[in-house]
Amino acid sequence: MTPDEYLQAVLDDQELPDEELDALQERKEQIKKLLRNSFSDYSPSIRDAGSYAKGTMVRASYDYDALIYFPSDTDVGETLKAIYAEVDDVLNDEGYRTKRKRSAIEILNPTEDEDPEYFHVDAVPGRYVDGSDGDVFLHQEGGDKDHLKTNPEEQLDHVRDSGVRDAIKLLKLWREKRRFSLPTFVLELLVIELLEGHEDDSLPDQLVHVWEELDEQAEELSVEDPANSNNDLSDVFDSATKASLSHAAQSALNKLDALGWESVFGEVDEDRKQEKAAKVASATEATENPHRPWFGG
Amino acid sequence: MADLWIDGNRNQLLEQQDEVRKQQPYLTWDTREPIVRLEGLFLVRHPDTGEDLDGFDIRVCFPRSFPKRLPRVWAIGGRLPEHDRERHVSEKEGCCLFVDEEFHLRHPDGYTVTEFLAEPVQHYFLAQLHYEHHDEWPWPVREHVKEGIEDAYMELLDLDDRGAVRDCVDLLRRRDLKGRWDCPCGSGKKLRDCHGDRFSVLRGKIPEETFKDTYHRLWERTITLDGRAVRDA
């Protein structure tokens, strides 16, 4: 299998099965309907966003964002914080458990019996800046500023039209495998910026280019909200995050060099998985007098 | 920092660095103080064919009193859980490679960094790889925490009574032993007529720091890289 074929196989493997997609659709409609009905007196617009709308879903990491944006003169809440709290309360009153994130409200599975991980739906409350239906204000929990101004359509278009969505998907997968913390939108902006001019490169070449740039120049990199260059993203893309990224990128390049693509993303071919499992078993059988591990607590 | 192990052993360090580079070319030394580290991609090999099977990102930290005190290894890069008894990973002490005494007994004349990597580190990560593919640890393991140490000592000293282990380790960690003392195994005999010789053999092969650390571990303290015993919160 060529590297191109392999990476395509990884992407295919990461496609959401119909069952999961249907379940997400159902949850999405549930939440949209709830928000529409609960706030019908306030005429919000409810739009699709998240990786679902951007076309960057991978099984390892996907989400649907329900953007609920109120008119600029709304009286659903006096402040953005109040609007945010109102939406959170509506969800809680309907029995959904939620977790407040920076600007989004993560909706958790309704009961603790179910997979606690992820409902895969966030609600993102906001208020239009003016009557033009474009720019919005979002509340920010924590951070130096309690709100920011952005344009969700511009952000969506920036990713949808980037020409590098497959690279974004693979690097999201890489992030999940490495378990390092980097907000998806920062990862997307980074990848798009680093691959500017490389849109026609092969997928393997694109990934190597991104990793090389991260390895060599992470400290100098910065990202900008395409909808508002005044938005300061330095607190979510700080020095510690850059250092982590740089190490992770170096590790990916080393693995590629030493062991090949499968060491980064895993085996996708069943025969190769079995072959590797057999080799590992033979290696452990051949090991003489192995040390006995001891867990100290 | 005068007593950092590399200070008086620069040549030895350079030799070891070269050796490690040949065996594990993706591990990088960081000799900035206060902790000397080796970090990067550790290649797990097939012992017969030498084929590189897979790799784990690791960090090896060398205590000030290396090699008397053993290096600590952490798996970095998110592939292993941070804390998991079944997979022998401890949030506090890193990868749980062995009972320290058992390593020293295999290397009574000392060991190099390459030997450390080629044996317990290789064994551990090969076993982790096996676990990923086959959902089980491939070899016998020691029981967890105190019980594991007690089992190891009961084997080493041929003891019947688990309760005697702590007293034995207490004696082993002392500067001097007197043959006329009662043997801590509980036999009622004097040390010289009971476990005295075995104790001498162990003390000749295992650094005193190890007995001190083990004694604290038997009291369920965690030992830091440089040998401080801390009570768990």
Side-chain angles (χ1 to χ4, degrees):
Chain A
M1 215 187 251
T2 65
D4 252 306
E5 286 167 347
Y6 166 74
L7 290 177
Q8 197 50 60
V10 172
L11 285 171
D12 292 343
D13 192 52
Q14 285 293 314
E15 288 280 332
L16 253 69
D18 287 340
E19 197 176 273
E20 232 170 298
L21 207 48
D22 290 343
L24 177 65
Q25 289 273 38
E26 199 181 308
R27 290 196 295 270
K28 170 179 89 105
E29 290 309 319
Q30 260 174 35
I31 297 300
K32 280 173 87 168
K33 185 176 171 185
L34 168 65
L35 293 174
R36 210 177 287 120
N37 291 345
S38 302
F39 292 105
S40 56
D41 292 345
Y42 301 97
S43 312
S45 87
I46 299 176
R47 296 173 164 196
D48 295 346
S51 60
Y52 175 90
K54 293 176 199 169
T56 55
M57 289 200 296
V58 288
R59 257 192 310 133
S61 165
Y62 65 93
D63 63 338
Y64 167 75
D65 287 354
L67 308 183
I68 172 168
Y69 294 156
F70 295 89
S72 55
D73 59 354
T74 188
D75 55 4
V76 75
E78 277 190 18
T79 62
L80 290 165
K81 185 171 177 168
I83 294 174
Y84 183 97
E86 275 297 323
V87 173
D88 193 28
D89 286 346
V90 155
L91 291 164
N92 292 155
D93 288 345
E94 203 58 29
Y96 290 100
R97 296 182 305 129
T98 60
K99 183 169 133 189
R100 292 188 176 196
K101 287 154 70 171
R102 201 174 166 86
S103 294
I105 300 166
E106 182 183 332
I107 301 170
L108 305 173
N109 275 320
T111 66
E112 288 180 12
D113 297 338
E114 294 175 62
D115 177 0
E117 271 280 302
Y118 215 358
F119 197 64
H120 293 285
V121 177
D122 287 4
V124 187
R127 188 183 71 212
Y128 285 107
V129 170
D130 52 33
S132 67
D133 208 38
D135 291 350
V136 295
F137 285 122
L138 302 180
H139 168 64
Q140 286 203 119
E141 293 268 285
D144 290 336
K145 281 181 74 174
D146 64 1
H147 71 279
L148 65 89
K149 181 174 138 186
T150 190
N151 188 306
E153 278 305 318
E154 278 186 39
Q155 286 185 343
L156 271 179
D157 289 344
H158 186 67
V159 175
R160 264 196 302 237
D161 302 338
S162 64
V164 293
R165 281 191 293 176
D166 281 350
I168 289 173
K169 284 172 165 180
L170 286 168
L171 289 163
K172 278 176 68 174
L173 178 58
W174 171 65
R175 179 195 61 183
E176 295 306 307
K177 283 186 172 293
R178 291 281 312 192
R179 292 192 234 191
F180 66 83
S181 173
L182 179 70
T184 300
F185 76 94
V186 173
L187 179 64
E188 288 165 347
L189 293 177
L190 251 185
V191 173
I192 292 169
E193 185 178 314
L194 291 174
L195 289 180
E196 198 179 325
H198 294 265
E199 294 84 354
D200 294 332
D201 289 1
S202 69
L203 205 39
D205 285 349
Q206 285 181 342
L207 295 185
V208 168
H209 176 77
V210 167
W211 285 328
E212 282 176 347
E213 292 295 305
L214 290 175
D215 178 26
E216 287 159 22
Q217 300 195 56
E219 194 48 46
E220 282 86 50
L221 293 171
S222 62
V223 288
E224 197 175 270
D225 181 349
N228 183 354
S229 57
N230 291 323
N231 283 336
D232 180 9
L233 300 177
S234 60
D235 60 338
V236 289
F237 193 47
D238 57 16
S239 287
T241 304
K242 290 177 185 180
S244 257
L245 257 183
S246 175
H247 280 129
Q250 188 182 82
S251 165
L253 290 168
N254 284 343
K255 281 187 176 172
L256 206 50
D257 191 46
L259 300 159
W261 284 100
E262 284 166 332
S263 65
V264 180
F265 292 109
E267 289 91 10
V268 287
D269 179 79
E270 202 48 50
D271 288 341
R272 285 182 70 87
K273 275 187 203 172
Q274 300 293 340
E275 194 188 310
K276 176 135 180 216
K279 270 192 196 170
V280 170
S282 113
T284 55
E285 248 172 88
T287 300
E288 288 178 6
N289 203 12
H291 280 275
R292 295 170 71 165
W294 166 74
F295 177 82
Chain B
M1 301 298 161
D3 57 347
L4 195 59
W5 65 276
I6 58 173
D7 285 340
N9 290 290
R10 288 283 168 182
N11 283 338
Q12 196 189 89
L13 172 66
L14 288 173
E15 276 168 24
Q16 298 219 36
Q17 283 181 321
D18 282 343
E19 257 319 295
V20 170
R21 242 177 243 123
K22 284 179 207 161
Q23 299 297 323
Q24 292 285 344
Y26 299 97
L27 290 178
T28 308
W29 287 89
D30 178 352
T31 53
R32 289 174 297 176
E33 295 163 5
I35 294 175
V36 173
R37 304 205 285 207
L38 187 55
E39 189 167 319
L41 180 67
F42 176 79
L43 296 172
V44 179
R45 297 195 165 108
H46 195 295
D48 285 348
T49 64
E51 180 187 349
D52 293 330
L53 296 171
D54 209 313
F56 286 80
D57 290 303
I58 69 170
R59 178 181 297 134
V60 185
C61 295
F62 294 84
R64 213 183 287 283
S65 53
F66 169 81
K68 284 187 185 171
R69 274 218 163 74
L70 293 159
R72 291 273 176 90
V73 179
W74 273 267
I76 57 179
R79 187 166 173 180
L80 296 189
E82 282 184 10
H83 188 84
D84 189 319
R85 290 165 76 102
E86 285 311 302
R87 296 193 71 173
H88 304 282
V89 187
S90 162
E91 199 176 359
K92 295 177 208 147
E93 298 202 24
C95 298
C96 307
L97 306 177
F98 41 55
V99 170
D100 291 5
E101 284 82 341
E102 293 185 318
F103 178 81
H104 284 299
L105 284 171
R106 291 195 194 200
H107 299 273
D109 300 322
Y111 59 96
T112 63
V113 177
T114 317
E115 283 168 335
F116 181 77
L117 294 173
E119 271 186 41
V121 179
Q122 154 80 8
H123 295 167
Y124 179 86
F125 285 104
L126 176 55
Q128 291 289 1
L129 194 54
H130 185 100
Y131 193 99
E132 283 177 357
H133 284 276
H134 302 282
D135 276 328
E136 60 177 12
W137 202 265
W139 305 307
V141 301
R142 282 283 175 213
E143 286 297 324
H144 299 316
V145 290
K146 203 160 69 112
E147 265 187 327
I149 300 178
E150 287 167 350
D151 288 344
Y153 269 86
M154 285 171 73
E155 285 172 27
L156 285 176
L157 297 173
D158 215 10
L159 297 174
D160 294 323
D161 176 15
R162 184 178 289 279
V165 168
R166 189 182 287 164
D167 290 337
C168 289
V169 175
D170 188 22
L171 220 65
L172 283 163
R173 71 184 178 128
R174 292 191 193 194
R175 194 167 289 274
D176 297 308
L177 296 183
K178 304 286 185 212
R180 55 184 163 77
W181 291 345
D182 290 338
C183 187
C185 78
S187 63
K189 298 180 187 171
K190 297 296 177 192
L191 191 57
R192 69 166 75 88
D193 299 321
C194 196
H195 277 92
D197 285 347
R198 248 192 251 220
F199 275 29
S200 296
V201 166
L202 290 181
R203 282 157 62 92
K205 294 180 180 180
I206 298 171
E208 64 176 295
E209 286 83 352
T210 302
F211 296 125
K212 287 176 181 169
D213 291 349
T214 294
Y215 183 74
H216 288 296
R217 286 194 171 113
L218 287 169
W219 285 100
E220 292 173 358
R221 304 258 160 82
T222 301
I223 307 296
T224 64
L225 181 67
D226 274 305
R228 274 186 309 118
V230 294
R231 199 190 299 267
D232 292 344

